[in-house]
Amino acid sequence: MNSPWAEFDFNALPNRVLFGAGRRREVASEVGALGCKRALIVATESQRTFARSVADMLGDKYAGTHSEAVQHVPYHTIEAVVAEVERLDVDILIALGGGSAIGLAKGVALERRQPILAIPTTYSGSEMTHIWGISRDGRKTTGRDPIVKPRTVIYDPELIVTLPAHLSLTSGINAMAHAVEALYAYNTNPIVFMMAEESVRALAVSLPKVVANPASIEARSASLYGAWLGATVLDQVAMSLHHKLCHTLGGSFGMPHAQTHTVMLPYAIAYNFNYAQDAMQALARALDCDFADVPGVVQDIARNNHGPTSLRELGFEQENLDKAAETAAQNPYANPRPVKRKHIRELLEQAFRGVRPHVVVQ
Ligand code: NAD
């Protein structure tokens, strides 16, 4: 285990966050505070109603809406929005929605160098990062650029109450995965560690309440707070095995993003368990459970709240396990426990069957 308390770098790109029910109504003054006058709303089709109400709130700063954001940010969608930006003389992008809408605004900002104000409506966390991803000619490339990090983020829990319970659970566990991997990142630091532990605590407590009562503003606030912290640490440190596995399963086998994170997280924790003891102690504190029970308790959050627990139920084909293990073990990357093809194959087999992960403390 690295020792983040002995020597570390701390890199945080500044942004302004407004948090609280109803805060979206401050959107026009925030656009003004950034020195901007003409805003284009970028959203997904299903967010049209929200987009219309935000358009009204923008008043004379409203220039138009593009509500055709789709998953994985195909390059042609960026070209379409760039054309709108030029036609409407836009000087700021309002990203309204989940990772897809925010991702599209980021792709446009990369081309046009314009500021983004984000109003997230899922727990994806893209709003807090300077990471972009674009699909072109069947390949998704990712990178980092400070210009794509939203300058202002408005977290308004009233906007997330419509996210269905099952999507809330998996999107929330996706957020938790950012925090978990930040705890054992090779370049973690004490500040990131504190935020990551608090993120896991807030999400573990609030997600079951969100599933039980999706309209609860209190539960939505607590879960958005946890997701915000998770995204903040995602922006600052490197992700490890879990993200590599999910990237492989999504990119090469078309597995659904947040659901795959939900299934895989307990197994990635179990894999690293004896190689990241500080992180596991933090998780035990955050989850209020026995040290050795951490991977199982993370899986219980999904199991007890009608979430997926196996790759099989997500439609993964058993005959692809070998190929997935091969791909995930290619190209070395930082991870507390060395990544060996044979061990990854065992991990994937367990995840395929959804066996409750069990660890022997060493
Ligand atoms: P998404 O934006 O595609 O949203 C999922 C679905 O939920 C969509 O159909 C959307 O219209 C709908 N939706 C969104 N908010 C809703 C609401 N409040 N009520 C009802 N429906 C709602 O997906 P996502 O899970 O938010 O984000 C996943 C994407 O984000 C992935 O492509 C991932 O790669 C990317 N991502 C990027 C970063 C980054 O830092 N760049 C970080 C995390 C995720």
Side-chain angles (χ1 to χ4, degrees), residues 37-38 49 52 69 94 112 125 146 151 176 201-202 206 212-213 223 227 230 243 279 302 312 321 331 347 352-353:
K37 295 190 174 66
R38 291 186 59 76
T49 313
R52 264 197 295 276
I94 311 265
R112 299 280 312 183
R151 298 270 296 277
M176 187 185 286
R201 184 176 293 112
S206 60
N213 181 8
S223 52
H243 280 78
R312 176 165 36 202
L321 285 171
N331 307 327
L347 178 163
F352 178 75
R353 291 190 282 126

Side-chain angles (χ1 to χ4, degrees), residues 2-345:
N2 49 353
S3 178
W5 293 269
E7 183 178 326
F8 57 87
D9 293 354
F10 180 71
N11 298 298
L13 291 168
N15 67 354
R16 173 172 158 77
V17 173
L18 282 72
F19 192 101
R23 299 293 302 267
R24 65 187 181 284
R25 297 192 185 90
E26 295 170 50
V27 64
S29 59
E30 290 302 316
V31 166
L34 290 170
C36 298
K37 295 190 174 66
R38 291 186 59 76
L40 178 74
I41 299 173
V42 178
T44 40
E45 171 79 44
S46 68
Q47 303 300 88
R48 267 177 192 276
T49 313
F50 282 157
R52 264 197 295 276
S53 75
V54 171
D56 290 344
M57 289 166 200
L58 280 167
D60 63 3
K61 295 188 177 69
Y62 175 69
T65 299
H66 178 96
S67 55
E68 283 153 42
V70 292
Q71 276 200 10
H72 305 306
V73 195
Y75 188 68
H76 69 86
T77 62
I78 296 175
E79 288 177 315
V81 182
V82 165
E84 286 291 274
V85 164
E86 285 166 3
R87 187 176 68 80
L88 297 168
D89 195 21
V90 162
D91 59 6
I92 185 167
L93 303 158
I94 311 265
L96 175 68
S100 298
I102 298 168
L104 176 55
K106 286 178 165 184
V108 176
L110 257 187
E111 300 263 324
R112 299 280 312 183
R113 317 302 291 174
Q114 263 149 353
I116 300 173
L117 183 156
I119 310 179
T121 64
T122 71
Y123 303 116
S124 87
S126 182
E127 68 281 356
M128 290 305 293
T129 81
H130 67 299
I131 305 165
W132 55 264
I134 297 173
S135 302
R136 206 170 182 171
D137 303 327
R139 268 191 67 228
K140 188 163 181 177
T141 42
T142 59
R144 292 178 183 249
D145 188 321
I147 193 71
V148 307
K149 180 159 175 169
R151 298 270 296 277
T152 303
V153 178
I154 302 179
Y155 283 110
D156 186 337
E158 287 177 1
L159 293 182
I160 203 171
V161 293
T162 50
L163 192 67
H166 67 283
L167 278 183
S168 300
L169 178 75
T170 54
S171 183
I173 295 178
N174 183 184
M176 187 185 286
H178 301 146
V180 167
E181 291 229 288
L183 286 169
Y184 53 63
Y186 78 90
N187 57 350
T188 195
N189 63 57
I191 316 301
V192 158
F193 205 89
M194 271 192 302
M195 289 194 280
E197 182 177 330
E198 174 68 357
S199 167
V200 175
R201 184 176 293 112
L203 287 164
V205 170
S206 60
L207 288 176
K209 295 180 183 167
V210 163
V211 172
N213 181 8
S216 163
I217 294 296
E218 198 184 327
R220 291 293 189 175
S221 293
S223 52
L224 259 186
Y225 165 68
W228 164 25
L229 291 173
T232 302
V233 295
L234 163 70
D235 194 38
Q236 294 185 37
V237 298
M239 297 288 104
S240 305
L241 175 72
H242 171 77
H243 280 78
K244 172 77 175 182
L245 285 171
C246 292
H247 193 82
T248 300
L249 293 167
S252 305
F253 301 95
M255 300 295 287
H257 182 82
Q259 292 94 319
T260 304
H261 274 273
T262 303
V263 168
M264 295 309 294
L265 186 61
Y267 299 101
I269 294 172
Y271 187 90
N272 284 326
F273 191 85
N274 285 306
Y275 295 76
Q277 302 258 314
D278 288 344
M280 299 306 151
Q281 296 285 8
L283 288 174
R285 286 193 298 272
L287 298 166
D288 193 22
C289 69
D290 285 344
F291 182 54
D293 221 14
V294 163
V297 167
V298 170
Q299 190 180 59
D300 290 344
I301 298 172
R303 181 174 287 114
N304 298 340
N305 293 287
H306 323 292
T309 53
S310 72
L311 290 177
R312 176 165 36 202
E313 72 193 272
L314 296 183
F316 190 81
E317 307 275 351
Q318 191 165 15
E319 71 238 32
N320 285 330
L321 285 171
D322 283 335
K323 195 171 161 219
E326 188 73 49
T327 313
Q330 276 168 1
N331 307 327
Y333 51 93
N335 188 62
R337 177 178 171 188
V339 175
K340 294 265 166 36
R341 190 201 161 284
K342 174 172 172 284
H343 299 145
I344 297 299
R345 176 67 174 79

